[in-house]
Amino acid sequence: MTTTIHVRELTKSFRSRVALAGVSFDVGPGVTGVLGPNGAGKTTLLRIIATALAPDSGEVQVLGRRPARDHDRLAIRRQVGYLPQDTGLYRGFTAYDFIDYVAILKEISDPTQRRDEVRRVLAGVGLEDRMHSKIKTLSGGMRRRVELAQALLGAPRLLVLDEPTVGLDPVQRLRFRETVSAVASHDTVLLSTHLTEDVAALCGHVIVIDQGQVLFAGRPSELAARADGRVWESEAADAGATLSWLTGEGRHRHIGSPPDGAALVTPRLEDGYLLLTASEPFAVTS
Amino acid sequence: MTWHVDGDTLVGYLDGHLTEALACSLEAHLLACEQCRADLAAATTVRGRRSHERSWDRLMDQVDRPTGNRIVRVLEKWLPPHLLRLVAAAPALRNAACAAGFAMLAAAVLAANFRSGPLGTLAFLITAPVVPLMGVALAYSHPDDLCGEVAEALPYSRFKLLLLRTAAVASVTLPVVLMLSLLLPVDLRLALLWLAPSLAMCALTLVLSPFADSRWVAAGLGLVWLVATTVHLPAAPPLPSLHELLASEFLFRPSGQAFLLVVALLAVMISAVLRRTTFETRNPA
């Protein structure tokens, strides 16, 4: 596998809070999902890979270059599209103005080339009809698409997307998946999410991170297989399960060590993820 | 047919630059020469396409023109479009903030002209440096204001962007303050005593911008300036003359002015030296 991102023993702390505690993994072409609960360290990890933040220690290589070196960092920035959680849109700008502004910061200085590129990415996220609308008049989902459009500028070799589907409705999420799939067919996409359905729908590779540590790195099917023989359903709640909840069909679904005679079911991706991250037994009843 | 019309002549014909005799001769030749007719058709197509592209570019430039307030439209005359776009993003170009500052200065000028005593001129010299400083601080708004975290991971030099914004704000505010200072009823040397502290405080705000919120830095510097320049003022009349008042404050004396200019120069030099390590990454490796 060609390695786009190489991370070894990465650490980062904010005062006394440890965000990353010795993270190691490799990422190749295609879509890789970074899955983890809120506060797991996903955003810190993505900021470091996008060169927006420097680690305390450890080794990072992005597209074969080290962000710690000035000239390498600049080269990485020219080839990476980054969508942070909070972009800081200029609300008084139109969508076109904003993307044009970012295009200038991405060093696309030729006016004709820049105009074509801005229109291309806005069309790519389905905003060609609203490109001259002020950002403050756009819906939350449209704003997120404007933010995604800036990440697509310049056809980057690596897309780093932090919680890209937050605020998108199901149709917009589908469009987003189409856009990302098109990019990932020839480049690398690293996206963080806490939604297992995003990973199941998009990712060929998944990294589960919690409390600043990598708990799993592999294919989504392998993550689901972690829960083989550990998921069962019953009519009543089971106090012995690590995790238990009432499904829409009125049955209780359990994860943990099944009792004798339990009706085992085929695990899904979220079962493997929940089994990995649920350290204490707890039950969800609604 | 043993000769053909060259490309320049065909373009001259299409542009209507040939003499009548030469044009008639060329047209007679075209009637008999298939190759030259083909060349003329090709030249017409290329020329037409170029003309169409130029028109389209002009139209698109007009459609995609940066939106902005009156100050942005004034700057449009001097700045290339890509720099204008970068400047237009600066919240500093808010009319209200600048107008408030200018109104304050205009009041000081009026006071200096219509009220006896040195207080009006002194008020102008004390408040004038704060106006460009206020504009520069608003140009950054907050440390992430260069497009939030996106800008942290973009190749464009953060230092260059900060410098551009500072220059844009200065180019708007300084000439106005300068014109107002010419209205003061004192000689030019005294009327320009606000310039050195203004440059020093703007440069200090620039150099400190990677470390702290620029608004707080500017507020702090402005406050220090106001305290330093008013603390020596007598609490009650009679007031001494303007010259005596200015001489009592170090920052208005020639040595103080030279000190402030050195501070401004040093701040810019330090910014330039630190631009890679400090400005381009908020948390260097």
Side-chain angles (χ1 to χ4, degrees), chain A residues 243-255:
Chain A
L243 182 64
S244 177
W245 71 96
L246 188 61
T247 66
E249 289 83 35
R251 288 175 63 79
H252 288 267
R253 190 176 176 97
H254 316 284
I255 299 174

Side-chain angles (χ1 to χ4, degrees), chain A residues 208-263:
Chain A
V208 178
I209 182 171
D210 193 13
Q211 296 179 12
Q213 292 183 313
V214 172
L215 303 183
F216 173 87
R219 303 187 69 77
S221 55
E222 292 167 349
L223 179 57
R226 287 271 181 125
D228 268 345
R230 304 191 68 184
V231 185
W232 70 101
E233 288 186 355
S234 65
E235 295 297 329
D238 189 333
T242 306
L243 182 64
S244 177
W245 71 96
L246 188 61
T247 66
E249 289 83 35
R251 288 175 63 79
H252 288 267
R253 190 176 176 97
H254 316 284
I255 299 174
S257 300
D260 291 339

Side-chain angles (χ1 to χ4, degrees), chain A residues 12 47 50 52 54 74 77-78 82 84 87 90 93 96-98 100-101 104-107 115 119 132 150, chain B residues 57 60-61 63-64 67 82 85-86 89 145-150 152-156 165 280 283-285:
Chain A
K12 181 71 189 177
R47 291 185 71 199
L74 196 61
R77 286 177 177 178
R78 287 186 174 128
Y82 176 44
T87 307
Y90 292 127
F93 266 23
Y96 184 96
D97 285 345
F98 177 75
D100 193 41
Y101 174 71
I104 293 165
L105 297 182
K106 279 199 172 179
E107 298 179 329
R115 190 181 60 224
R119 287 174 171 270
H132 290 297
Q150 65 77 25
Chain B
D57 282 349
M60 285 295 104
D61 286 345
V63 170
D64 300 337
T67 51
H82 70 285
R85 179 76 79 196
L86 296 181
D145 182 55
L146 303 172
C147 189
E149 202 175 305
V150 168
E152 303 277 332
L154 292 174
Y156 197 91
R165 285 195 178 186
E280 303 310 330
N283 189 359

Side-chain angles (χ1 to χ4, degrees), chain B residues 197-215:
Chain B
S198 184
L199 291 174
M201 288 194 286
C202 289
L204 280 173
T205 305
L206 175 71
V207 76
L208 293 173
S209 63
F211 307 105
D213 188 328
S214 301
R215 291 171 300 179

Side-chain angles (χ1 to χ4, degrees), chain B residues 128-213:
Chain B
V130 181
V131 173
L133 180 69
M134 187 171 68
V136 169
L138 285 171
Y140 309 136
S141 187
H142 57 84
D144 283 340
D145 182 55
L146 303 172
C147 189
E149 202 175 305
V150 168
E152 303 277 332
L154 292 174
Y156 197 91
S157 164
R158 187 180 174 81
F159 176 70
K160 209 163 127 185
L161 188 54
L162 286 169
L163 208 57
L164 179 68
R165 285 195 178 186
T166 306
V169 173
S171 69
V172 171
T173 52
L174 286 177
V176 179
V177 182
L178 197 63
M179 278 191 288
L180 286 170
S181 61
L182 296 178
L183 301 174
L184 289 173
V186 293
D187 66 62
L188 193 60
R189 189 182 60 79
L190 290 181
L192 293 180
L193 284 175
W194 59 271
L195 192 56
S198 184
L199 291 174
M201 288 194 286
C202 289
L204 280 173
T205 305
L206 175 71
V207 76
L208 293 173
S209 63
F211 307 105
D213 188 328

Side-chain angles (χ1 to χ4, degrees), chain A residues 24-42:
Chain A
S24 300
F25 60 85
D26 289 313
V27 170
V31 185
T32 297
V34 179
L35 196 57
N38 292 330
K42 302 187 299 290

